[in-house]
Amino acid sequence: MKKILIIMCMFFVLPVMADTMPFYVESIPRNVIGMYQTGDSVKIYSHPEANSEIVKEIKFSYEPEEMPDNVFAVLINEKKLGFLYVSDVGDEGWVEVIYNRKTGAKGWVLTEDKLQFLPWLNFYNLYGRKYGLRFMKDSPDDLEILKAKSEDLSQTVSTLRYVKQIRLTAIRGNWALVSVVDVDRTPKMGYLRWRGDDGTIYAFPNIK
């Protein structure tokens, strides 16, 4: 009996993995335009100017038990890979980020290189092509179809059932040209909506 209690105690005191990924439509604000990749720290300013007030400064260890809550849009601690949502772009490398997903608090950061800020097109071309896409868990069922062209009124190529894998070929506006392996294991190719006209994101890179 004592051994069982010890095992149960060990289970409950183990650190909770702090990896973060958007799985639901409302996880991603509609007004965001891309992602900002974090390094070992981030310094957030009130305005896109180096002499403006520093509203937040955070250091990242990428140790799960030490990472802050509600900061990251995407976080994989093992790879030290983290992203914040970007809501606006300024001049000379400044971007506005959401640094608290719960409150929606925003501030400005200065990018160190041109790859630190990835607009959605670049983000999907990089990570969507590498890892494929996945539908958000609450995406409308009527979007899980492949079209012959990147148009709502285009002919339907296939209705997807229990999708196993979505490989991204190209992003064209709010549409993604993909090849899909469905439950019948027959590869299919066509266009699916990854984003609505109002900015709602329905399919996201399946980063692992």
Side-chain angles (χ1 to χ4, degrees):
M1 184 65 179
K2 287 183 179 180
K3 288 184 178 180
I4 294 175
L5 290 173
I6 291 172
I7 292 172
M8 290 180 65
C9 289
M10 290 177 64
F11 176 80
F12 285 112
V13 300
L14 285 173
V16 176
M17 293 301 289
D19 286 358
T20 302
M21 197 69 60
F23 286 106
Y24 295 92
V25 168
E26 294 301 321
S27 301
I28 305 177
R30 294 178 186 177
N31 65 333
V32 299
I33 58 175
M35 294 287 209
Y36 166 84
Q37 185 171 351
T38 59
D40 294 332
S41 64
V42 62
K43 190 178 292 186
I44 302 168
Y45 296 80
S46 60
H47 295 87
E49 301 170 355
N51 60 355
S52 65
E53 177 189 0
I54 298 174
V55 296
K56 193 82 171 178
E57 187 169 4
I58 316 172
K59 293 184 179 181
F60 306 122
S61 66
Y62 295 97
E63 295 295 332
E65 65 276 9
E66 298 175 0
M67 295 299 282
D69 294 328
N70 299 312
V71 171
F72 288 92
V74 171
L75 173 63
I76 301 180
N77 287 295
E78 186 178 356
K79 294 184 177 181
K80 294 188 176 182
L81 182 66
F83 291 94
L84 309 184
Y85 291 127
V86 174
S87 54
D88 199 3
V89 177
D91 297 327
E92 298 179 351
W94 288 92
V95 296
E96 184 184 53
V97 298
I98 299 173
Y99 64 89
N100 189 315
R101 290 184 292 106
K102 189 173 183 179
T103 65
K106 301 176 183 179
W108 292 87
V109 297
L110 183 60
T111 57
E112 297 177 359
D113 59 63
K114 63 181 181 180
L115 294 178
Q116 198 166 17
F117 164 53
L118 295 173
W120 281 134
L121 177 61
N122 300 42
F123 184 76
Y124 275 70
N125 278 335
L126 181 59
Y127 291 98
R129 286 186 176 186
K130 182 176 181 178
Y131 295 103
L133 303 179
R134 57 169 171 77
F135 281 109
M136 295 296 195
K137 291 183 178 180
D138 56 346
S139 292
D141 291 339
D142 60 2
L143 292 182
E144 297 187 9
I145 56 176
L146 292 182
K147 293 283 190 176
K149 299 179 180 179
S150 55
E151 303 169 359
D152 287 316
L153 298 180
S154 175
Q155 178 184 356
T156 296
V157 174
S158 178
T159 299
L160 305 179
R161 309 289 185 191
Y162 306 105
V163 177
K164 300 295 183 183
Q165 189 176 28
I166 303 176
R167 293 178 177 172
L168 175 64
T169 299
I171 293 289
R172 294 179 182 173
N174 294 329
W175 294 82
L177 177 61
V178 300
S179 59
V180 175
V181 177
D182 208 342
V183 66
D184 61 4
R185 297 184 180 180
T186 302
K188 305 175 179 71
M189 179 168 281
Y191 290 89
L192 60 79
R193 262 195 178 273
W194 69 273
R195 181 173 63 182
D197 293 333
D198 63 352
T200 303
I201 291 179
Y202 299 114
F204 194 80
N206 192 26
I207 302 174
K208 298 177 181 178

